[in-house]
C-alpha cells in the first residue's frame, strides 16, 4: 500500500489520488489493471445504486427514465427502451410496472400497432430523473476533480479500454454509449 493510501484514520484520499496519477505507483501490470477496473466498476455501481436508493428508485428505473427524457415526445416502444436499458423482456416488464405504479410513466396503446403499447414519461418521472441525474453528475464530477483529472481524457481512455476488452471478448462495442441515448437535448 502506498503511504497515505491506507484505510487508517491518517489516510488521505487526495494525496493518494494525486500520487497515483502523478506516477508515484510502479508500472501497472495487466492483472493489477484488471483488478483495478473491476474495483472501479463496483465503486461506480455502488455509488449509482446508493444515489438511486436515496430517491427510492433503482439504476434500471433511472435508465428507463433517461431513455424517455430524450425520446421524441418522451414516448417510446418498450422494445426500444429494452435495447437501451439492456434488460430481459421480463425484467423490463417488472421495471415498467414499478415505474407505472409509482406514477413515473404511463403505458398507452400504440396507435400504429393495435397490439402494442407505448411508454410515456410523466411529469413526476421527469422530476425524479432530474434529481437523480443531478446527484450522479455532481458525485462523478467531484470524484474526478479530487483525482485532479480531465473528464474528457478519462472518458477517452475508458472508451478505448472498453473497445479493446469487448474486441478481445468478441462482443459488439458499447463504447459509443452516451447517457443521452438519442443525441437530443432534453
Amino acid at each position: 500500500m502506498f503511504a497515505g493510501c491506507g484505510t487508517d484514520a491518517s489516510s488521505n484520499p487526495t494525496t493518494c489520488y494525486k500520487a497515483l496519477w502523478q506516477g508515484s505507483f510502479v508500472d501497472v501490470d495487466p492483472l493489477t489493471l484488471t483488478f483495478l477496473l473491476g474495483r472501479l466498476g463496483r465503486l461506480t455501481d455502488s455509488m449509482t445504486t446508493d444515489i438511486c436508493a436515496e430517491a427510492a428508485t433503482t439504476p434500471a428505473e433511472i435508465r428507463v427514465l433517461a431513455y424517455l427524457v430524450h425520446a421524441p415526445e418522451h414516448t417510446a416502444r418498450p422494445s426500444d427502451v429494452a435495447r437501451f436499458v439492456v434488460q430481459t423482456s421480463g425484467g423490463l416488464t417488472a421495471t415498467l410496472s414499478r415505474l407505472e405504479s409509482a406514477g413515473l410513466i404511463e403505458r398507452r396503446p400504440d396507435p400504429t400497432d393495435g397490439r402494442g403499447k407505448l411508454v410515456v414519461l410523466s411529469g413526476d418521472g421527469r422530476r425524479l430523473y432530474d434529481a437523480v441525474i443531478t446527484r450522479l453528475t455532481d458525485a462523478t464530477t467531484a470524484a474526478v476533480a479530487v483525482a485532479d483529472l480531465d473528464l474528457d481524457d478519462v472518458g477517452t481512455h475508458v472508451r478505448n479500454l472498453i473497445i479493446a476488452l469487448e474486441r478481445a471478448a468478441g462482443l459488439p462495442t458499447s463504447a459509443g454509449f452516451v447517457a443521452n441515448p438519442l443525441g437530443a437535448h432534453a
Side-chain angles (χ1 to χ4, degrees):
M1 185 78 45
F2 179 76
C5 294
T7 57
D8 62 351
S10 67
S11 179
N12 181 334
T14 302
T15 301
C16 181
Y17 292 139
K18 286 184 178 177
L20 171 65
W21 295 110
Q22 292 173 354
S24 295
F25 283 104
V26 185
D27 291 336
V28 176
D29 61 273
L31 182 58
T32 301
L33 180 61
T34 299
F35 290 154
L36 289 172
L37 291 172
R39 176 74 173 143
L40 179 61
R42 288 187 298 279
L43 288 169
T44 56
D45 285 349
S46 177
M47 177 186 74
T48 302
T49 299
D50 290 350
I51 289 171
C52 286
E54 290 170 8
T57 191
T58 68
E61 292 168 355
I62 288 301
R63 286 190 298 270
V64 168
L65 297 178
Y67 190 85
L68 294 172
V69 160
H70 299 289
E73 299 181 35
H74 305 298
T75 303
R77 290 186 172 88
S79 59
D80 295 331
V81 175
R83 278 191 289 281
F84 177 72
V85 175
V86 189
Q87 266 188 308
T88 64
S89 60
L92 181 62
T93 298
T95 299
L96 294 177
S97 293
R98 286 191 307 273
L99 290 169
E100 187 174 36
S101 293
L104 303 172
I105 65 161
E106 295 175 30
R107 287 191 263 196
R108 298 181 185 158
D110 183 343
T112 64
D113 178 357
R115 298 170 297 149
K117 295 278 187 187
L118 294 174
V119 181
V120 183
L121 182 68
S122 72
D124 286 344
R126 177 57 191 249
R127 284 184 284 283
L128 176 66
Y129 167 83
D130 287 344
V132 171
I133 294 307
T134 297
R135 285 271 296 118
L136 282 170
T137 301
D138 290 350
T140 301
T141 301
V144 171
V146 165
D148 197 25
L149 300 171
D150 179 85
L151 190 59
D152 290 333
D153 288 344
V154 171
T156 298
H157 292 303
V158 168
R159 287 183 193 282
N160 288 339
L161 275 169
I162 289 171
I163 289 167
L165 293 170
E166 287 172 336
R167 278 187 188 147
L171 297 170
T173 188
S174 63
F177 171 83
V178 291
N180 178 344
L182 303 174
H185 296 285

